[in-house]
Amino acid sequence: MPLRIVVLFVVTPLFLLVGYFAYSEIAKQRALHMRSGDTAQTAREDRAISDMIHEL
């Protein structure tokens, strides 16, 4: 078996594994970013409601 084919069989699964872990980390970071945006929106709403209650 030529060396080129052997290297291909060894390197390809490693690249696929790196791609899987990179995708997994990006998906996790994206979910965390979306959740932090929701938390910031809730904090703004809570402050507005608190100010309104204080004025009333």
Side-chain angles (χ1 to χ4, degrees):
M1 189 177 277
L3 182 60
R4 187 177 298 170
I5 300 295
V6 172
V7 170
L8 183 67
F9 283 139
V10 171
V11 172
T12 302
L14 295 175
F15 276 122
L16 291 175
L17 191 62
V18 167
Y20 169 75
F21 284 126
Y23 176 77
S24 174
E25 184 65 26
I26 289 170
K28 186 172 35 170
Q29 292 295 324
R30 183 175 182 266
L32 193 62
H33 177 72
M34 298 295 277
R35 202 171 336 140
S36 67
D38 293 342
T39 302
Q41 179 65 28
T42 302
R44 285 190 294 271
E45 291 170 354
D46 286 349
R47 182 163 185 186
I49 290 170
S50 177
D51 290 344
M52 183 182 71
I53 290 171
H54 179 71
E55 289 296 323
L56 292 175

